[in-house]
Amino acid sequence: MQRFAQKAYVATGLRTPFGRGGGALADHDAISLSVPLAKAMAEKARPDLFIWGTVIPSLGWSNIGREIWLDAGLDPTVPAFSAVLACSTSMVAAMAAAGMLGGDTDLVLVGGAEVMSQPPIGLKLEASKRIVKLFRTNPAEAVAALKALTPDDLTLPVKGWANRITGRTMGDHMEETAQIWGIAREAQDEWSLKSHQRAVHGWETGFFDDLVIALPEIARDAHPRADTSIEKLAALPAAFDKSGKGSLTAGNSSPITDGAAACWVATEAGLARLPDGTPHAELVDHEIAAVDHGVDGLLMAPSFAIPRLLARHGLRYDDIALWEIHEAFAAQVLANVAALEKPGWTRDRAGVDFDFGPFPWDRVNPNGGSVAIGHPFAATGARDFSQAVKELWAMPSGSLAVVSVCADGGHGTVALFRRP
């Protein structure tokens, strides 16, 4: 089946280096961090449309896409709007762009940015209502009330961007899921070590050289560690469940990260406007799944989306030459694949009666994932897309890739690519 009215392609873009929380990029906001990236992408081609996103909101703007485009001093006649779906933000921006191709739209620039170092501080609703009312009736009292605010009046990011409904962090939820699925601490640390080793190797061999632009503050990713080891990872304390049962640590979880990433979505005519030799792949199909996170776990929706997507095309797991899976936590990757391989899971829970076969672990994240590279929420989808397309470009024509991202709220977004 063909998902779109005409063939849609994703071409590799650029990203900033991903910086440590509180590190080299911490003085930026999502707009200022995105501006040099938008300029660098626009130097390659003028898009017909610009779609951007950020997950951590700011009262300073509503349509970050347009703000970035204009701050970059780019052609103001290019329409720009924003998209958001938690950690899948720039991935769904690309999906939306693919559905909008046609007519006068052949080339769309999509991406996202997050400066997790600078989360905004806001007023809780009751405090906001009280002070706004005072400003209308007695400005002097309103100023005095502002000076008298206490931490109880403020919305602070002390919970690590917790789920609004549960009040629990992603790590809290994933710790529970890891225990339900029996994901051992040792397996998590082993996967994390592989992620670091592969990301470091990617930098050392030049894989990232044409995917990352240097900034004045930083030239390469800050998180990948060549000096980590199983022993060092095993020595880290539990970060979320500190009862003695916890297995998620700072070492096997994606770190607080600042960064921005972009990629292209295009028709064949749009591809012709990009520099010769730009790696690209056909976006064959996609799937967005949502689950009841109280039943299935907050980050387990990919295990529903992946089988539904593959079954539509009669594909088994080993038909996929490349798997690019977002590593919110090492445990999240391990738990979702454990579900995919569990007898009866895809039939009983995902509603797909199909023999997918064994999962090919050796084809996952060959140049590292979010545990090592970092996870600026809105940038991860575009980073995954560019990385996967470049990896797929080195494979034979017809090779297939799957990109999978889990997202807050019980969402999972998955895309299927084919090498032309």
Side-chain angles (χ1 to χ4, degrees), residues 24-341:
L25 302 178
D27 289 337
H28 283 280
D29 62 19
I31 292 177
S32 67
L33 187 56
S34 301
V35 163
L37 181 58
K39 288 180 177 179
M41 291 290 284
E43 287 178 0
K44 296 178 180 292
R46 176 194 180 277
D48 302 313
L49 180 64
F50 181 69
I51 308 175
W52 209 258
T54 192
V55 176
I56 303 171
S58 171
L59 293 175
W61 59 76
S62 60
N63 182 2
I64 189 175
R66 187 61 172 169
E67 303 297 339
I68 291 166
W69 194 255
L70 295 179
D71 273 14
L74 299 169
D75 184 351
T77 66
V78 173
F81 70 91
S82 304
V84 62
L85 198 171
C87 303
S88 295
T89 288
S90 51
M91 188 172 181
V92 297
M95 293 174 179
M100 299 174 72
L101 293 174
D104 295 328
T105 303
D106 287 307
L107 186 63
V108 186
L109 174 52
V110 305
E114 217 72 62
V115 180
M116 299 175 71
S117 295
Q118 300 291 353
I121 296 174
L123 294 179
K124 292 179 181 176
L125 180 59
E126 288 306 314
S128 178
K129 287 163 59 177
R130 183 174 73 249
I131 291 173
V132 169
K133 182 177 180 180
L134 284 172
F135 267 114
R136 290 172 180 162
T137 59
N138 191 326
E141 286 190 22
V143 171
L146 282 172
K147 293 179 179 179
L149 287 173
T150 71
D152 289 338
D153 296 315
L154 305 177
T155 298
L156 299 169
V158 293
K159 289 286 288 180
W161 300 281
N163 177 272
R164 185 189 67 83
I165 293 173
T166 67
R168 301 169 66 207
T169 69
M170 305 299 105
D172 293 331
H173 280 276
M174 195 62 233
E175 184 68 78
E176 181 179 84
T177 301
Q179 293 175 20
I180 290 172
W181 282 92
I183 306 301
R185 164 71 182 269
E186 292 76 16
Q188 296 175 51
D189 289 346
E190 288 172 3
W191 187 259
S192 299
L193 179 61
K194 289 179 182 178
S195 187
H196 280 274
Q197 290 172 334
R198 292 168 179 175
V200 169
H201 182 260
W203 275 106
E204 290 176 345
T205 58
F207 174 82
F208 292 108
D209 288 355
D210 60 354
L211 297 178
V212 180
I213 61 169
L215 296 178
E217 303 92 342
I218 186 173
R220 60 181 288 173
D221 296 330
H223 289 292
R225 299 193 56 153
D227 63 345
T228 195
S229 66
I230 282 292
E231 293 74 21
K232 289 181 179 179
L233 290 167
L236 295 171
F240 302 100
D241 181 350
K242 300 179 181 180
S243 68
K245 299 179 180 178
S247 60
L248 273 66
T249 70
N252 58 40
S253 306
S254 60
I256 293 174
T257 311
D258 303 329
C263 63
W264 300 101
V265 179
T267 62
E268 290 185 3
L271 290 176
R273 290 157 52 183
L274 296 176
D276 290 343
T278 301
H280 57 274
E282 182 186 354
L283 178 57
V284 178
D285 200 357
H286 63 76
E287 179 77 14
I288 302 177
V291 301
D292 182 342
H293 60 71
V295 175
D296 295 301
L298 193 71
L299 303 180
M300 289 296 291
S303 66
F304 291 73
I306 289 170
R308 292 169 184 168
L309 176 65
L310 295 184
R312 280 203 294 273
H313 299 270
L315 296 169
R316 291 162 56 93
Y317 298 142
D318 63 5
D319 290 323
I320 307 303
L322 168 70
W323 293 80
E324 195 70 37
I325 302 179
H326 163 49
E327 301 167 351
F329 305 89
Q332 170 260 319
V333 178
L334 298 171
N336 273 276
V337 176
L340 294 177
E341 291 193 307

